[in-house]
């Protein structure tokens, strides 16, 4: 089996939810149960990738990659198939969250835990290169940046660098973090060339506890209402709130593949992965609220850097 890490970059607010909730937010985001980290389920991404190929004339090739289509909906269609699909799509997990700052407009905030999970997704290797090493842990309410000189989100108080994230005022270690600079450089390789310095200028590392607070409180929450078509006013009882990951959020996951099992289409695992990922920067619409512009994402990978690995 071969695997390749992928990056999802949200270009508009992204709502992949769990349905209605009895909590404060009516339509919350989907999160990992144990950690609370926001995710996009692999099943959602795989369905969107398959749907993007619905007009392909070569149906057998699509079925070889994604698996045979169900002939009947519901439980009646859950019958043994002649062959299995070759593609496995893992969940996309939050990697960096854009957080409003009082300096530099916004920062892309991550933590040692999120980078450690990303490193695990790479399997420790990117082609012939090692992935960046784990970053050192931080004290509570501390932050680090790759370059004090180049980061756009810092300000100085009494000569010491600090960063404002929403209503958090965090002290920044007064030295460059070479390890975080390596992460910014490697992650940036997946982005278009004109955006590659964004991570170096905006990436801010905070401790895991602060990151947990931010992914619970710094997401986008919108209040919406339905209009009664007969009166043109707000419909009675049709007021709700929905949570989204803000535009510019980065999520990371893994796709894996075996050779194709289809009796008529013989594809190697590397071909399956390349077909699934498509061209660099493939545009997809994920999650709900598509008609109001939500869920536009860019699917990116490190193909040009030889990131493919075998497990």
């Amino acid at each position: 089996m071969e695997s390749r890490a992928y990056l999802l970059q949200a270009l508009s607010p992204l709502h992949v939810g769990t349905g209605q909730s009895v909590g404060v937010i009516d339509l919350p985001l989907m999160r990992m149960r144990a950690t609370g980290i926001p995710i996009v389920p692999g099943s959602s991404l795989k369905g969107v990738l398959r749907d993007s190929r619905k007009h392909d004339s070569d149906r057998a090739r699509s079925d070889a990659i994604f698996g045979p289509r169900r002939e009947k909906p519901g439980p009646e269609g859950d019958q043994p198939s002649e062959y299995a699909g070759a593609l496995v799509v893992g969940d996309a997990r939050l990697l960096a969250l854009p957080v409003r700052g009082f300096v530099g407009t916004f920062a892309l905030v991550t933590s040692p835990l999120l980078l450690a999970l990303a490193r695990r997704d790479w399997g420790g290797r990117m082609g012939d290169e090692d992935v960046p090493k784990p970053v050192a842990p931080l004290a509570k309410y501390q932050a680090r940046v790759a370059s004090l000189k180049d980061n756009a989100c810092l300000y100085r108080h009494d000569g010491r660098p600090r960063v404002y994230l929403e209503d958090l005022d965090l002290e920044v270690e007064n030295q460059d973090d070479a390890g975080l600079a390596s992460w910014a450089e490697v992650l940036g390789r997946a982005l278009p060339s004109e955006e590659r310095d964004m991570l170096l200028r905006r990436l801010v590392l905070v401790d895991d506890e602060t990151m947990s607070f931010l992914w619970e409180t710094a997401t986008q929450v919108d209040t919406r209402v339905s209009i009664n078509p007969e009166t043109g006013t707000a419909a009675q009882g049709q007021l709700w709130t929905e949570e989204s990951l803000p535009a510019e959020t980065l999520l990371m996951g893994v796709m894996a593949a075996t050779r194709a099992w289809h009796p008529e289409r013989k594809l190697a695992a590397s071909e399956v992965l390349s077909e699934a990922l498509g061209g660099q920067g493939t545009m997809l619409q994920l999650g709900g609220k598509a008609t109001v512009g939500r869920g536009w994402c860019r699917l990116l990978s490190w193909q040009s850097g030889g990131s493919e690995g075998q497990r």
Side-chain angles (χ1 to χ4, degrees), residues 225-236 238:
V225 66
S226 287
I227 301 298
N228 186 325
E230 296 182 0
T231 64
T233 60
Q236 186 70 27
Q238 295 294 313

Side-chain angles (χ1 to χ4, degrees), residues 236-250:
Q236 186 70 27
Q238 295 294 313
L239 179 71
W240 75 94
T241 54
E242 59 187 38
E243 184 182 25
S244 304
L245 289 170
E248 308 304 332
T249 298
L250 297 177

Side-chain angles (χ1 to χ4, degrees), residues 76-129:
E76 292 182 358
D78 193 16
Q79 300 294 326
S81 302
E82 183 182 357
Y83 57 91
L87 180 67
V88 178
V89 183
D91 296 342
R93 185 193 320 105
L94 178 68
L95 176 63
L97 182 71
V99 178
R100 181 180 58 170
F102 288 104
V103 177
T105 309
F106 76 96
L108 281 169
V109 185
T110 189
S111 74
L113 172 63
L114 295 181
L115 294 182
L117 295 175
R119 193 171 194 274
R120 189 177 66 185
D121 286 346
W122 269 315
R125 302 283 297 174
M126 287 184 61
D128 296 330
E129 302 176 32

Side-chain angles (χ1 to χ4, degrees), residues 294-307:
R294 303 297 170 87
W296 283 105
C297 295
R298 198 155 48 185
L299 179 61
L300 303 152
S301 71
W302 288 266
Q303 296 175 64
S304 59
S307 62

